[in-house]
Amino acid sequence: MALKSVIAAFVGLAVLAGCGSRANDPLLGVARELGSGLLNRDVPVAAPVDPRAVLTRDVIDRAGVPLILLESQSLGTASTLTRIATNGANETWQGDDDVTVTLSREGVLRATRGYLFDLYSADISAIRQALVQRSGGLAPRVHTRVVGDLETQISAYGCEVGFVGAEQVNIFGRVQTLTRVVERCTAQPGSDLADFENRYWIDGNGFAWASEQYAGPDLGHLRIERLHR
Amino acid sequence: MRRNGKLRFSVAALSVGLGCVFSAPAVADDTSDIFRSATVNTYGLPGLIDMPTANTFPDGELSFTVSHSRVGTRGTLAFQVLPNVTASFRYSAVDFANVANGRDLLFDRSFDLHWQILEERGWVPGIAVGVRDIAGTGLYSGEYIVATRHFGEYDQLSVTGGIGWGRLGGRNSFDNPLGVLDDRFETRPPRSSAGQGGTLNLNQFFRGDAAVFGGIEWQASDRLRLQVEYSSEIYSREAADGLVDASSPFNIGATYAFSDSFIGSAYVIGGDTFGLSLQLALNPNNPPVPASAGDPAPRPVAARAPSAAPYTTDWVEQPGGGPILRDNFEQLFEDQGLHLERLTLDAHRATVRVRNTRYNHESQALGRVLRAMSAALPPSVEVFEVIFVVEGLDTSRVRIARSDLELLEFDPGGAEVALAVAEIEDARTTPDPTGLDVAVERPRFTWGIGPYVNTSVFDPDNPFLFDLGVEFSAQYRFGNGFVAEGLVRAPIVGTLDQAAITNEIPPPNPPPVVRSDGALYHQESHVYIDRLTFSHYGRPGENLYSRVSIGYLERMFAGVSGELLWQPAHSRLGLGVELNHVWQREYDGLFGLRDYDVTSGHVSAYYRLNDGFDLQVDAGRYLAGDWGTTIALERSFDNGWRVGAFATFTDVSFESFGEGSFDKGLTIEIPLAWFTGTSTRDSRSGLIRPVLRDGGARLDVEGRLHDMVIDYTRPSFEETEAMIWR
């Protein structure tokens, strides 16, 4: 069969692809998306807006709604998120993208959704108690993720909570004296999980105005600042 | 920043074929694990160059290997069925000077089994037993017992030694040591079914003279391995034909891992024959992108504010309440691939009927419907029920308490517990709540026009045939389960018309021609009606599903087909009956019929075994009027990959069946979402059937019930339970 006729047929079919109310051949659809994805690779995308460059205390206070700033060091992203749901002590936050993070009302990371590697859930009862009661010591925690063939991977950590001392923290012009708390977590001996350290800057009620919290081996640490309560 | 990241991600996710092939090897913490993973030999199985080792591939891995040298081109698909059992199918082409039928090449299909009977542990080496060419024409027939042990700090050196029979017992052979057990081991008889292939060559296994083989493999770097082996294979037939001079027993080779999944090898056989091979390995257990990672975050559960007093119920009386709630759902389901069919509720219980056209992980669809209910329904509704609807059929009814939903959303054990506390029963077991009842009208008529690809692999004369063309499809739903639908295809370019007509030289006393003339349907048609049917799908009773289809049921047959399935919502067992009366269609694919007609039908049992295996047994009458049984066993992964094999035995004798002796094949189903991480229920399935002939042929009717409803039973929800909160 002549190569020319094959090419002609492909071109013809590509023009035709995608008429009607029913789905077309899914594999061709994937191939088409792949093709357009590759072709569009060099199309300039609107420059990302760094919230740190545009946000001011005045803007934040005028908005007057609960607001957090979320930065991912591994992805190099930063965005502002508003609270979209409250379920008991769990508050879920979303920005203008497809990602949500869920924090306890004190600001401890409970879950993420929409990242490539999500934290499905975390047992954070011990660290929450430590923050609210300002008591250091041992605080176990558990993370769950979904890996491989839909396996729920449960990772248990032994953590030690230490109160480091008072620090001046400036969040967009609001300067507060907060207590720096460090939570050092160690994986169970023999596991291949990495150890990590979370840092919180809390007020007298145990509320974390700023924190750097570990969300898993791929996502790494998220930095969260509470811009407005 | 975000859009940029998203774009990069979609490129990475979609370029699966390339992305997973060219990514660097993962750095595992346990280096010896990498070094212990099997090298693939020229036969596509764990080995050195031509010789086997006692290693295995990672569990679940599918490995496709192509090797080429003057002794032939071999394409092997190997599957690690169980942690210690590897099975493979091989299609090979050898350029012998004298090939029957005037072909240029001898095409041969063969199956192998490799079983690691002892895992390497401490000082004990791994030991494996294998049989090559179990049921083919015997070109590669040989058996072995082999031991492999790794040495060095990182297991970087492996030493293998073994004993072989048949083709592997050729060099410096000696009397079979198994002769001490029974004198019959000392001679290897000729194959029992001369020339037909397909039957087990049991009478030959481990018989005749034996020979020893061995080799050493050295992991020179993370990516490079070097092999040297002493081969017991003398390539007697190939050497006689002048293809190879295997007088030197030593083969040397090197493999290079371009990535975890893409490995190339170069080797020299017998000092003078250079060869290359490439291996592509995919493991359903290791997706290139985490499951559903491409999906947007779900809307969270909308938890009710705690209230000491009972929630008010007077909203039930509010005029226009039904349509308001329906609009809420439609808004919440927008762009979700979920479609509201019907909503019935009273003040305390709500039932939502929904079609899922996106989520391949059914629990993920369930979780998203439940969260939409939490947002849409007034607080007094405490009991949530979801019924997934397929082809207008209610499947199971999943019931969960709204307060459990609120409690479990972020619980580390919340996925497992949510399904444990949910009740899953047949939709017909409990009546719907009576009160508000809103149905959603959807378009009755749908149509589409687009390109299609039709492929055939491993035809007796051609490894790959295809057609590319335009198809037009349309469907009209009359309601109450009645559907008319059709598919018309116009091939534009392709090679399917070159497929072999497998009964050109008919076997003795053959069954009626029902499938072996398949190529004529490609040769004598232009624009053809693939299907044109009028069907009814129904629920005649609790746990019962029914289908009746009339019309042009498939490309080669028209008639009437009826089916009844018993499948409880919580059961691993399903039972079905199917009865058909069909006429053979004209080759031109229009409305005409030929003068062959037959009544066929089966009783079927479907059983989901533990550990991800599905067994299906069908017994009944096949298209050629033959009576018999089909057994199909599939390994099913939670993410939707399925790899299986089937075989049909009927009262058509092996001799009358012709080449292959009986109908058999391999099946594979690949969910497209696995590659991209973006939910879609689309999948690709493939069928490798060494020869399609007339014995043991079944009608290929659309809409068989078991496949349609099994996804919404408890075992399926539990397989995907990790995704309920995604």
Side-chain angles (χ1 to χ4, degrees):
Chain A
M1 181 183 37
L3 185 65
K4 225 191 264 179
S5 67
V6 176
I7 293 169
F10 266 107
V11 170
L13 290 170
V15 171
L16 179 79
C19 310
S21 56
R22 310 186 75 197
N24 285 310
D25 189 306
L27 198 63
L28 291 171
V30 169
R32 208 159 42 228
E33 267 184 71
L34 170 60
S36 61
L38 291 172
L39 292 174
N40 291 342
R41 192 172 38 189
D42 296 329
V43 173
V45 175
V49 177
D50 181 357
R52 286 207 178 272
V54 293
L55 273 180
T56 62
R57 176 51 53 190
D58 190 42
V59 170
I60 293 165
D61 288 343
R62 255 189 294 148
V65 293
L67 202 64
I68 60 171
L69 177 70
L70 176 73
E71 290 176 303
S72 158
Q73 286 156 12
S74 65
L75 300 175
T77 56
S79 51
T80 51
L81 289 77
T82 54
R83 190 165 60 203
I84 58 163
T86 303
N87 181 359
N90 305 301
E91 301 179 338
T92 300
W93 300 78
Q94 185 167 32
D96 61 352
D97 58 12
D98 290 333
V99 172
T100 63
V101 296
T102 301
L103 310 174
S104 76
R105 67 167 75 91
E106 302 81 15
V108 181
L109 182 66
R110 186 84 203 252
T112 70
R113 292 290 185 275
Y115 285 114
L116 192 52
F117 296 92
D118 273 322
L119 174 67
Y120 271 68
S121 66
D123 181 348
I124 50 168
S125 46
I127 176 67
R128 287 182 59 206
Q129 201 178 346
L131 296 182
V132 172
Q133 298 181 351
R134 300 182 79 83
S135 58
L138 294 177
R141 82 161 43 223
V142 168
H143 290 183
T144 69
R145 302 192 302 141
V146 176
V147 297
D149 184 21
L150 310 191
E151 304 289 335
T152 297
Q153 182 192 65
I154 300 170
S155 315
Y157 297 93
C159 305
E160 195 167 354
V161 180
F163 285 72
V164 179
E167 284 180 16
Q168 293 266 320
V169 176
N170 183 340
I171 298 175
F172 289 93
R174 172 190 278 182
V175 181
Q176 298 176 86
T177 304
L178 301 171
T179 305
R180 178 173 175 168
V181 183
V182 175
E183 179 190 17
R184 282 195 188 86
C185 297
T186 321
Q188 284 171 328
S191 86
D192 55 359
L193 299 165
D195 298 345
F196 62 90
E197 182 181 295
N198 292 336
R199 292 166 285 274
Y200 309 86
W201 287 265
I202 64 169
D203 65 13
N205 299 318
F207 178 82
W209 285 89
S211 62
E212 288 165 3
Q213 303 187 53
Y214 180 76
D218 302 285
L219 193 51
H221 279 79
L222 298 175
R223 181 177 170 87
I224 301 157
E225 290 180 20
R226 186 66 169 258
L227 306 180
H228 195 277
R229 276 195 91 165
Chain B
M1 178 66 82
R2 178 177 62 84
R3 275 201 61 194
N4 205 355
K6 189 85 186 164
L7 185 68
R8 271 202 315 271
F9 167 70
S10 70
V11 171
L14 286 165
S15 58
V16 284
L18 307 170
C20 61
V21 171
F22 294 110
S23 61
V27 181
D29 294 325
D30 190 356
T31 317
S32 63
D33 271 3
I34 302 181
F35 291 4
R36 275 197 188 189
S37 72
T39 297
V40 72
N41 62 17
T42 61
Y43 290 91
L45 280 163
L48 294 162
I49 300 150
D50 275 344
M51 295 297 109
T53 59
N55 298 324
T56 60
F57 298 127
D59 184 37
E61 182 169 287
L62 270 164
S63 152
F64 182 66
T65 309
V66 176
S67 67
H68 176 78
S69 70
R70 283 208 310 275
V71 298
T73 304
R74 301 171 192 148
T76 309
L77 181 67
F79 179 50
Q80 193 67 34
V81 184
L82 292 168
N84 54 357
V85 176
T86 323
S88 72
F89 169 73
R90 181 179 311 105
Y91 188 87
S92 47
V94 186
D95 191 9
F96 285 121
N98 299 306
V99 176
N101 307 339
R103 294 174 187 165
D104 296 336
L105 295 168
L106 175 75
F107 290 107
D108 187 77
R109 282 142 294 175
S110 48
F111 294 93
D112 298 355
L113 265 184
H114 175 85
W115 178 30
Q116 188 188 60
I117 51 174
L118 199 65
E119 201 180 330
E120 180 176 340
R121 202 165 278 161
W123 275 100
V124 182
I127 295 178
V129 178
V131 182
R132 285 182 185 169
D133 206 351
I134 287 176
T137 47
L139 179 63
Y140 291 121
S141 137
E143 304 83 42
Y144 56 84
I145 299 173
V146 61
T148 299
R149 191 176 184 288
H150 291 78
F151 296 91
E153 192 185 353
Y154 303 110
D155 285 339
Q156 62 268 52
L157 184 74
S158 84
V159 178
T160 293
I163 176 168
W165 291 264
R167 220 180 137 111
L168 288 163
R171 190 182 306 277
N172 298 329
S173 57
F174 46 82
D175 285 350
N176 192 344
L178 294 175
V180 299
L181 303 175
D182 191 319
D183 287 347
R184 280 181 298 176
F185 276 110
E186 286 175 7
T187 49
R188 193 175 179 92
R191 292 179 33 75
S192 49
S193 62
Q196 299 284 35
T199 51
L200 290 179
N201 307 331
L202 270 175
N203 64 325
Q204 288 189 317
F205 291 172
F206 300 100
R207 293 177 71 175
D209 286 353
V212 293
F213 60 87
I216 294 173
E217 181 170 47
W218 179 51
Q219 182 93 36
S221 76
D222 278 359
R223 292 165 182 271
L224 181 69
R225 287 180 180 183
L226 303 172
Q227 300 90 17
V228 56
E229 70 182 12
Y230 172 87
S231 168
S232 59
E233 174 157 356
I234 52 172
Y235 283 103
S236 51
R237 195 169 161 192
E238 289 85 350
D241 214 72
L243 293 175
V244 65
D245 170 22
S247 55
S248 162
F250 292 102
N251 303 334
I252 54 167
T255 64
Y256 187 81
F258 298 102
S259 76
D260 276 352
S261 48
F262 193 55
I263 296 168
S265 320
Y267 44 87
V268 178
I269 294 169
D272 76 329
T273 303
F274 180 74
L276 285 174
S277 60
L278 285 175
Q279 181 202 11
L280 173 63
L282 278 183
N283 194 327
N285 288 315
N286 298 329
V289 182
S292 300
D295 292 348
R299 164 185 291 274
V301 168
R304 295 166 293 183
S307 158
Y311 294 107
T312 168
T313 58
D314 48 10
W315 56 270
V316 178
E317 313 299 332
Q318 187 188 331
I324 292 172
L325 292 174
R326 178 196 62 205
D327 293 347
N328 286 349
F329 272 104
E330 297 213 306
Q331 201 185 338
L332 290 162
F333 284 164
E334 203 178 3
D335 300 325
Q336 289 273 350
L338 298 168
H339 311 274
L340 183 71
E341 291 256 311
R342 190 173 163 199
L343 169 67
T344 50
L345 74 167
D346 58 29
H348 306 289
R349 180 164 71 106
T351 306
V352 165
R353 281 177 172 72
V354 62
R355 271 183 305 127
N356 164 30
T357 55
R358 178 172 306 161
Y359 298 100
N360 48 307
H361 306 127
E362 287 77 20
S363 280
Q364 190 181 356
L366 176 66
R368 292 198 174 213
V369 174
L370 290 168
R371 280 174 286 210
M373 293 177 83
S374 76
L377 295 171
S380 71
V381 179
E382 170 61 19
V383 178
F384 285 1
E385 293 181 341
V386 181
I387 297 174
F388 286 100
V389 177
V390 183
E391 283 292 345
L393 295 178
D394 290 351
T395 58
S396 59
R397 183 187 297 260
V398 182
R399 182 182 304 117
I400 189 163
R402 185 175 192 164
S403 28
D404 287 340
L405 207 63
E406 292 165 345
L407 211 60
L408 295 170
E409 185 181 17
F410 296 109
D411 191 281
E416 196 183 339
V417 177
L419 274 174
V421 299
E423 294 171 68
I424 302 179
E425 60 184 24
D426 187 41
R428 292 182 58 114
T429 306
T430 308
D432 291 341
T434 50
L436 296 175
D437 185 344
V438 207
V440 178
E441 270 295 306
R442 61 173 171 130
R444 288 169 176 271
F445 181 66
T446 52
W447 64 279
I449 185 164
Y452 77 89
V453 188
N454 195 0
T455 56
S456 157
V457 288
F458 308 126
D459 183 79
D461 289 339
N462 274 296
F464 181 78
L465 297 168
F466 78 101
D467 259 1
L468 186 70
V470 186
E471 67 179 20
F472 172 76
S473 60
Q475 184 184 58
Y476 189 84
R477 289 164 211 280
F478 295 88
N480 294 323
F482 290 97
V483 186
E485 56 196 324
L487 175 68
V488 173
R489 283 184 159 178
I492 295 175
V493 287
T495 53
L496 273 175
D497 54 358
Q498 295 163 23
I501 296 169
T502 45
N503 61 347
E504 250 174 357
I505 308 163
N509 191 20
V513 172
V514 291
R515 289 287 187 211
S516 57
D517 56 351
L520 293 174
Y521 286 82
H522 294 291
Q523 288 167 11
E524 299 195 7
S525 64
H526 302 289
V527 175
Y528 63 87
I529 299 164
D530 194 74
R531 297 191 306 275
L532 183 61
T533 55
F534 181 70
S535 313
H536 178 261
Y537 295 92
R539 291 296 317 266
E542 199 175 328
N543 301 325
L544 290 176
Y545 299 83
S546 68
R547 170 185 62 81
V548 178
S549 319
I550 297 169
Y552 295 84
L553 301 171
E554 52 140 296
R555 186 66 184 80
M556 295 170 72
F557 287 90
V560 56
S561 168
E563 187 187 354
L564 189 67
L565 173 73
W566 173 82
Q567 176 65 62
H570 53 80
S571 170
R572 294 179 171 274
L573 175 72
L575 297 172
V577 194
E578 180 180 302
L579 192 63
N580 316 303
H581 190 86
V582 291
W583 286 261
Q584 203 162 31
R585 291 179 62 186
E586 279 293 356
Y587 300 134
D588 64 9
L590 301 178
F591 294 98
L593 300 175
R594 299 171 59 79
D595 60 5
Y596 178 77
D597 69 299
V598 65
T599 299
S600 76
H602 291 85
V603 291
S604 303
Y606 311 87
Y607 192 74
R608 174 151 293 186
L609 300 156
N610 285 328
D611 299 328
F613 282 87
D614 283 337
L615 177 69
Q616 180 177 345
V617 179
D618 308 291
R621 192 164 189 238
Y622 293 79
L623 284 175
D626 45 338
W627 291 84
T629 302
T630 302
I631 297 168
L633 186 65
E634 275 188 313
R635 176 158 179 191
S636 76
F637 294 82
D638 294 346
N639 56 31
W641 274 78
R642 304 175 72 81
V643 181
F646 65 89
T648 299
F649 302 94
T650 71
D651 54 8
V652 172
S653 70
F654 288 172
E655 199 184 18
S656 298
F657 183 89
E659 187 185 348
S661 299
F662 61 94
D663 189 54
K664 60 193 165 298
L666 305 174
T667 53
I668 180 164
E669 183 171 346
I670 305 171
L672 294 184
W674 184 85
F675 292 98
T676 62
T678 303
S679 288
T680 165
R681 290 185 67 78
D682 291 327
S683 65
R684 282 283 114 174
S685 38
L687 169 64
I688 298 172
R689 187 182 238 134
V691 203
L692 177 59
R693 302 193 68 96
D694 301 316
R698 282 191 76 180
L699 187 68
D700 187 19
V701 65
E702 284 281 305
R704 284 208 166 102
L705 295 165
H706 186 261
D707 270 1
M708 284 169 39
V709 306
I710 194 66
D711 287 346
Y712 300 102
T713 56
R714 179 174 276 280
S716 298
F717 282 120
E718 285 179 350
E719 277 184 355
T720 58
E721 74 184 11
M723 307 310 291
I724 190 167
W725 297 118
R726 179 61 181 83

